[in-house]
Amino acid sequence: MMKKQALVIFVAAAVLLGAFVVFVIQEQKSALPPSTGSPTPLPGVEIASYEGKDLTAAESLPDNSIKGPQHINMTDYRLNITGLVNQSLSYTYNDVLGKYPHYTKLVTLHCVEGWDATILWEGVQVRDLVKDAGPDPRANTIVFTAADGYTTSFPLGYIMGRDIIMAYRVNNITLPVDRGYPFQLVAEDKWGYKWIKWIEKIELTDDPGYRGYWEERGYSNSGDLNQSYVGA
């Protein structure tokens, strides 16, 4: 009889202990912050070197824009590919990032003011956007327009025949506002005034003589780095 009573007491104690453990676990769970699904990405940290080469800090670059840094309303922002194309395209920032492959490239920007900056750029290839729009056979020139009205142009072959990217990240961080967010052209082998920032429009034309902001003011239309930026 006593053995049965002891067994009953033991079982009852085990049940009570189990209930207590469940209660404690539930209390601990309630103290944790609620799950929000996928993790929230935090801003990247700018890297100072890449493959053994020192990088130029993005914030150290001077502002030489014509109207100061442009603060784009990203709700309304659209990148338009237009002109002599089979179909005009209009993309949001996220459309571009989601639709096209991303590439990284280490390229040095050389400014006519005498300074240079070696940066790890990340972006999409401009020719991918142009191909989707379908260049008209008459097109021979591509004109870029920025949010501040700044423009510059290139032979269409320069864009279509090379891995020219439109960057949205630099040194592992999102392109800063004063560097041209949302997009800056990485116009390699060209002087810095061809590296247009805050790009809003890409237009194909049949006007090889088109001159942009600085080109109209006497700068070389080709902007080739191995030549003087004055004239021609």
Side-chain angles (χ1 to χ4, degrees), residues 187-206:
E188 54 189 88
D189 298 328
K190 302 290 185 180
W191 285 105
Y193 63 90
K194 306 295 280 189
W195 294 52
I196 184 169
K197 299 180 283 190
W198 307 296
I199 300 171
E200 286 193 335
K201 183 170 70 171
I202 300 172
E203 181 179 5
L204 273 63
T205 80
D206 58 357

Side-chain angles (χ1 to χ4, degrees), residues 153-216:
S153 67
F154 304 84
L156 183 58
Y158 171 78
I159 295 296
M160 303 305 289
R162 302 186 59 168
D163 299 327
I164 303 301
I165 66 173
M166 192 172 64
Y168 58 87
R169 286 173 66 83
V170 293
N171 297 344
N172 202 43
I173 61 171
T174 299
L175 189 68
V177 168
D178 58 357
R179 288 311 316 149
Y181 178 81
F183 296 113
Q184 177 179 10
L185 188 69
V186 181
E188 54 189 88
D189 298 328
K190 302 290 185 180
W191 285 105
Y193 63 90
K194 306 295 280 189
W195 294 52
I196 184 169
K197 299 180 283 190
W198 307 296
I199 300 171
E200 286 193 335
K201 183 170 70 171
I202 300 172
E203 181 179 5
L204 273 63
T205 80
D206 58 357
D207 179 14
Y210 179 91
R211 291 185 175 270
Y213 181 87
W214 283 115
E215 294 87 339
E216 281 188 332

